[in-house]
Amino acid sequence: MPKRLSLQPSRDPADYPFSHRLRTRFAETDAMGVIHHGSYLLYLEEARVAYLQHLGHPYGEVRDDGVDMAVLEVSVQYRSPIRFDDEVVVHLWAGSVTRTTFQVAYLLTVEGEPRATAVSVHGGVDRSGRGTRLPAWVGEILTS
Amino acid sequence: MPKRLSLQPSRDPADYPFSHRLRTRFAETDAMGVIHHGSYLLYLEEARVAYLQHLGHPYGEVRDDGVDMAVLEVSVQYRSPIRFDDEVVVHLWAGSVTRTTFQVAYLLTVEGEPRATAVSVHGGVDRSGRGTRLPAWVGEILTS
Amino acid sequence: MPKRLSLQPSRDPADYPFSHRLRTRFAETDAMGVIHHGSYLLYLEEARVAYLQHLGHPYGEVRDDGVDMAVLEVSVQYRSPIRFDDEVVVHLWAGSVTRTTFQVAYLLTVEGEPRATAVSVHGGVDRSGRGTRLPAWVGEILTS
Amino acid sequence: MPKRLSLQPSRDPADYPFSHRLRTRFAETDAMGVIHHGSYLLYLEEARVAYLQHLGHPYGEVRDDGVDMAVLEVSVQYRSPIRFDDEVVVHLWAGSVTRTTFQVAYLLTVEGEPRATAVSVHGGVDRSGRGTRLPAWVGEILTS
């Protein structure tokens, strides 16, 4: 059973220890002329992967060690539209770490302006798809 | 500013007045061998569009009348994996209607088993991208 | 090395022995207000999967038997736009079967009008990702 | 009617005047454990947009001037798989320019090794969706 989201994503970039820049794709727009709301989940994931790389634990290696970090829950608040070719900065902060789950809070900005906030909950999953303990470094790094 | 999600999605299909069936695509899987968490937002959207059609207000006509129903907030709880070629039933229920917003609660099942729940908040947006009142029928139909 | 596409997709639906209906999604549109060209590959794949099901060889079972039918080459000719909520009929025809590859030709229509044609080449791939012979039924069924 | 692809994409990076780097996303993988064949079209598009930017004609400005560069035809040859977190270099070369169309040839490499080649044909489209002449700079720059 997923645990409830508990992190509160701030709208101040200074509250986040890590950020990742990306440029939106034309394919990610929709007929409203803006980035489709579903594409935001791809931006969050890309930023998480960049954060794991930054921490010295590339997600490919984590998976090779037999643990996936499945998404148990995600919530996005869309504040103002993101457009084609915008440079988006995804600010993120990880916390609420337990032996089996952790959470990530996100702020998406374009030219310094908040466009969306989000929270995701992740849980360790082994190769057979069952819930499992996260690697020890998760607790050590993300709570420090 | 998005309003907070207030609907509670039940895990009993009988609590939902409408359901929509779809079959997952291979393209929607990921390297974990299951449907990628981002694909669920596409299923929710497809079910909303089918519901508007069922209500006699196809989304294409709603948009031709000048109002988009933008997603202001979305939250998904992933309970157990959905796989390639699964037939997913998206049960949904709309409520919390105001002049400018409404919410939708969802239950996704495969072979009768709950796989995910979700809630989305939607707001009327005019052609210039500004918030606007929803068509009158939204309040009349969704609160009845 | 991929072999060259050799099938010629006709624009007459009567030339195709199988067809599959689907409805386009809003998420598949782009800022030009039409279905994004990349989404067409998803429609081709969905139709191939429906065809395998129709032939009594669901793709999930084919994969469980240890053979993937990887895409070696694909070509799409976009003739006129497809729009949100259009009902697309994907007509298809398989041929040019060898021990390790086969081709599929496609015609996409909306209300009977040709919108796109396409050809794909597929090859058997085993679990380690190496090219392998296709199951015997492929040659028996697709050349008959 | 789309014109036939005529460019031949070489497998030697030195034959291409422009290249664009990108990192694959986990969302772009599929249950075969590799990047889904449909995701390649997104990489080609991202590289085209980067090329237009490099040429001093950002695609957003081109569109604001009233001309879309619609995809009339695309063909991809998949040579060996691309994986999650790979850094892909998309090499490209534009040519076969007419008043209303141009073509782009692509080579995708990972660590210097060819993974795929592709060709796309593009045509000018005005706001009403009708074919139109391309901006004059297209012929001047792309044929020089």
Side-chain angles (χ1 to χ4, degrees), chain C residues 113-127:
Chain C
E113 267 183 53
R115 299 301 173 90
T117 50
V119 184
S120 58
V121 184
H122 302 267
V125 171
D126 67 18
R127 289 218 170 94

Side-chain angles (χ1 to χ4, degrees), chain B residues 125-141:
Chain B
V125 171
D126 68 18
R127 288 216 171 97
S128 66
R130 246 163 295 181
T132 187
R133 292 177 59 160
L134 291 163
W137 62 262
V138 173
E140 289 157 16
I141 293 178

Side-chain angles (χ1 to χ4, degrees), chain A residues 33 36 41 62 67 85-86 91 95 110 122-123 125 133 136-137:
Chain A
H36 186 263
L41 296 198
V62 175
V67 179
D85 214 25
D86 276 351
H91 307 269
V110 175
H122 302 269
V125 171
R133 291 177 60 161
W137 62 263

Side-chain angles (χ1 to χ4, degrees), chain A residues 1-61:
Chain A
M1 187 59 38
K3 66 186 303 251
R4 302 296 323 171
L5 299 166
S6 62
L7 295 194
Q8 291 297 332
S10 145
R11 279 185 281 156
D12 181 354
D15 290 335
Y16 295 81
F18 180 78
S19 66
H20 173 73
R21 268 164 211 280
L22 59 88
R23 194 165 286 277
T24 61
R25 291 174 173 166
F26 191 73
E28 293 159 357
T29 60
D30 65 25
M32 288 174 63
V34 299
I35 298 298
H36 186 263
H37 70 279
S39 302
Y40 289 55
L41 296 198
L42 310 182
Y43 304 160
L44 305 184
E45 183 181 80
E46 179 176 321
R48 283 195 305 276
V49 167
Y51 186 47
L52 289 173
Q53 172 80 38
H54 165 79
L55 294 175
H57 295 278
Y59 189 44
E61 290 180 12

Side-chain angles (χ1 to χ4, degrees), chain B residues 31-58:
Chain B
M32 289 176 62
V34 300
I35 298 299
H36 186 263
H37 70 278
S39 302
Y40 290 55
L41 295 199
L42 310 183
Y43 305 160
L44 306 184
E45 183 181 81
E46 178 176 322
R48 282 196 305 277
V49 167
Y51 186 47
L52 289 173
Q53 172 79 40
H54 166 81
L55 293 176
H57 295 279

Side-chain angles (χ1 to χ4, degrees), chain A residues 1 36 45 74 76 79, chain B residues 1 36 45 72 74 76 79:
Chain A
M1 187 59 38
H36 186 263
E45 183 181 80
V74 69
V76 185
R79 294 175 186 280
Chain B
M1 190 59 35
H36 186 263
E45 183 181 81
L72 302 184
V74 68
V76 185
R79 296 174 186 279

Side-chain angles (χ1 to χ4, degrees), chain D residues 36-131:
Chain D
H36 186 264
H37 70 278
S39 302
Y40 289 56
L41 296 198
L42 311 182
Y43 304 160
L44 305 184
E45 182 180 81
E46 180 176 321
R48 281 195 306 275
V49 167
Y51 186 48
L52 289 173
Q53 172 79 41
H54 166 79
L55 294 175
H57 295 279
Y59 190 45
E61 290 179 12
V62 176
R63 298 191 71 233
D64 286 347
D65 289 345
V67 179
D68 275 312
M69 294 176 170
V71 177
L72 301 184
E73 190 162 351
V74 69
S75 171
V76 185
Q77 300 79 41
Y78 304 88
R79 296 175 186 279
S80 67
I82 298 177
R83 297 176 191 285
F84 165 59
D85 215 23
D86 275 351
E87 191 187 59
V88 177
V89 183
V90 184
H91 307 269
L92 69 78
W93 168 62
S96 287
V97 183
T98 71
R99 282 183 174 190
T100 56
T101 67
F102 64 96
Q103 301 191 20
V104 186
Y106 312 82
L107 168 67
L108 279 66
T109 59
V110 176
E111 295 176 359
E113 268 183 51
R115 298 300 172 91
T117 51
V119 183
S120 57
V121 184
H122 302 268
V125 172
D126 68 17
R127 287 217 172 94
S128 66
R130 246 163 295 181

